[in-house]
Amino acid sequence: MSQAANRSEPSTAVKAAARAAKPAVQPFAGMLDPVIVEEPTMFAFKGSIRRSNLVAAWTWVCRDLCADFISADEIADGTLTAAALEANMPKVMARIKDAVDKANADLETGLRLRAMLGSDEARAALPQLLTALRARPLLVKATAFGKAINAIGEDSALGVALQSMPLNDPPLAALLFHAAMRQIANPTRLITTVIKLSGNATEASVERCGFGPVVEAMLAHAQNQIHLLQSSGPFADVDLICRGLDRFHRLVRALTGYVEFERGSPWANVLASLTKQVSERIEPRLREVVPDLNQALRRGRDASADRLDNDKVLAAINGIYLLATVRECRASMALNAVFDQAWSQSGEALEIQLQRNLDFIRQTPADPIIAARLDAGIKMAEIRFNPEYADTLRRARASAERAS
């Protein structure tokens, strides 16, 4: 083998270091995926585990606790399966519990454990992690339970199903309700059934009957939509953002519409904070809708050098999609003034720009740039107004092209 080949071949130590540094993308081979929540998370709930804490714990387990039987190669290439890991789970949990017990008994050992995990939050999450690992077979059943709830037609049957959950074990119930909530399409029906079983819509009644984990699962899932609103730029996944907003709205309206929250209570404060966070992320996007629309549909001052800005066209269409979604979800956000302004101005600007482009198409019917702008504008009109108005614009365009 040549010297160059020898130099290019990494040593075993280098490979091991690279594997140790590589982030674990599927902690515990996906066993706890039903209870993972994504950052940012301002509030912690008993039924969910932050991904960052779970990744820290998994890295610690693979590197420091169980490197003798968990293959670093299988973790690195993603071939470690839940079935393969399951046989060793009793040993994994025993070692985690032993490490936690030793850290609790000795200050210096506790500090070393905190250093290995990388944060106090990850250290504090270990008892919850152990509870989730013990309940891992039930998480699969809870996910199926959530899907089954969607098919239950009678409220009485739904009530019986809810009472079959381990309501006397709040930590376990919290995990199972969180896993189930991911699959429940209509959270309003769930919360109305909870209120019927509780006999009252007050927070105290819901908690007294053991259904506090249901409310917390809904709050956790509402918070878990925030990471979907993070993407920005013309190529942001607006469909994903809109789905996140719709899900947030359904969860929040189910709670605020039926549960009587006490002023200043922990649940009420969480709801207020989540509403504020979502609104703050959406408000700048709404302010960009009209400028993007005008820039996308406006003709350049020099007609000979006119060109279509595809990024602006995409941003404008995405903005109109988002605006229409916010209109359906505005009751769950603090955006009334900003939304009303964006909705009104976008309608006016769209009508003006469409009329201008219809005039331009009459003058130069073969201009592909004007035709593309009209196509984009008509698509926006279909979203902002209605399909009938868009059809009217298509007929007006066809008439203008024939007349010219």
Side-chain angles (χ1 to χ4, degrees):
M1 186 177 291
S2 69
Q3 291 181 353
N6 282 327
R7 283 197 301 268
S8 64
E9 184 69 22
S11 66
T12 303
V14 170
K15 288 180 179 179
R19 285 194 297 266
K22 185 174 180 179
V25 293
Q26 196 175 33
F28 294 93
M31 290 179 176
L32 302 184
D33 282 2
V35 294
I36 292 178
V37 291
E38 307 291 344
E39 306 288 350
T41 50
M42 290 184 63
F43 303 100
F45 299 98
K46 294 178 182 178
S48 58
I49 303 175
R50 298 176 182 178
R51 180 176 291 278
S52 58
N53 292 341
L54 194 59
V55 168
W58 177 235
T59 303
W60 167 63
V61 166
C62 300
R63 183 191 62 213
D64 302 317
L65 286 188
C66 306
D68 54 327
F69 60 84
I70 296 179
S71 169
D73 289 328
E74 290 182 355
I75 295 171
D77 58 26
T79 58
L80 180 65
T81 64
L85 184 61
E86 180 60 40
N88 289 311
M89 282 310 298
K91 193 186 301 185
V92 172
M93 290 188 293
R95 291 188 183 183
I96 294 175
K97 184 177 185 302
D98 183 58
V100 171
D101 289 343
K102 289 179 179 178
N104 290 338
D106 180 68
L107 178 60
E108 187 175 343
T109 304
L111 291 174
R112 283 200 300 270
L113 176 57
R114 187 265 177 217
M116 286 187 284
L117 289 168
S119 71
D120 290 324
E121 285 185 358
R123 166 68 180 88
L126 288 180
Q128 186 185 21
L129 168 67
L130 273 171
T131 302
L133 288 173
R134 294 189 190 102
R136 66 192 183 281
L138 298 177
L139 297 181
V140 177
K141 295 181 180 180
T143 300
F145 175 80
K147 293 179 180 177
I149 281 180
N150 297 325
I152 296 177
E154 297 181 1
D155 290 348
S156 58
L158 178 56
V160 172
L162 288 176
Q163 289 177 312
S164 70
M165 296 290 269
L167 302 179
N168 293 327
D169 187 348
L172 178 59
L175 289 164
L176 300 186
F177 276 121
H178 185 94
M181 191 65 64
R182 190 186 300 268
Q183 306 298 328
I184 295 173
N186 186 359
T188 295
R189 185 161 175 260
L190 181 69
I191 204 68
T192 54
T193 303
V194 164
I195 289 173
K196 288 178 183 177
L197 293 173
S198 303
N200 200 306
T202 63
E203 290 186 46
S205 296
V206 171
E207 287 196 275
R208 185 168 56 249
C209 293
F211 291 112
V214 175
V215 175
E216 294 212 340
M218 295 174 74
L219 291 172
H221 277 276
Q223 179 176 241
N224 202 35
Q225 307 309 307
I226 294 176
H227 78 278
L228 301 176
L229 314 180
Q230 300 285 77
S231 58
S232 60
F235 301 106
D237 192 340
V238 173
D239 286 340
L240 193 63
I241 293 172
C242 291
R243 287 199 298 271
L245 280 178
D246 179 70
R247 183 63 173 170
F248 177 83
H249 171 68
R250 289 173 182 269
L251 291 163
V252 169
R253 290 304 290 169
L255 291 171
T256 58
Y258 295 92
V259 179
E260 297 175 7
F261 292 102
E262 298 176 8
R263 184 183 295 275
S265 71
W267 286 349
N269 289 336
V270 170
L271 273 170
S273 179
L274 294 180
T275 299
K276 183 174 183 289
Q277 288 182 63
V278 170
S279 301
E280 287 176 347
R281 281 166 172 77
I282 296 300
E283 181 176 342
R285 294 177 179 273
L286 295 186
R287 295 189 185 279
E288 294 170 358
V289 170
V290 175
D292 285 345
L293 187 157
N294 282 324
Q295 291 178 43
L297 300 183
R298 183 184 294 130
R299 186 180 187 181
R301 293 183 179 179
D302 184 357
S304 62
D306 190 26
R307 69 179 188 86
L308 187 70
D309 189 333
N310 289 311
D311 287 354
K312 281 298 179 185
V313 169
L314 180 60
I317 294 175
N318 285 345
I320 295 295
Y321 267 121
L322 180 63
L323 191 64
T325 301
V326 172
R327 185 175 185 237
E328 299 299 320
C329 305
R330 61 186 299 192
S332 301
M333 292 179 278
L335 289 170
N336 285 340
V338 176
F339 168 79
D340 288 340
Q341 182 181 31
W343 184 258
S344 173
Q345 292 181 352
S346 65
E348 295 172 2
L350 189 53
E351 288 183 327
I352 292 170
Q353 296 296 347
L354 283 166
Q355 186 57 55
R356 287 177 179 171
N357 280 284
L358 284 171
D359 293 339
F360 290 144
I361 206 72
R362 292 188 184 96
Q363 299 168 14
T364 52
D367 191 323
I369 295 177
I370 297 174
R373 283 201 185 99
L374 265 176
D375 287 338
I378 291 171
K379 178 64 176 177
M380 293 180 214
E382 186 173 5
I383 303 164
R384 168 60 179 79
F385 298 107
N386 51 62
E388 292 75 17
Y389 182 55
D391 288 338
T392 301
L393 291 170
R394 292 187 184 98
R395 290 193 295 271
R397 173 184 174 176
S399 175
E401 290 175 336
R402 285 196 303 270
S404 58

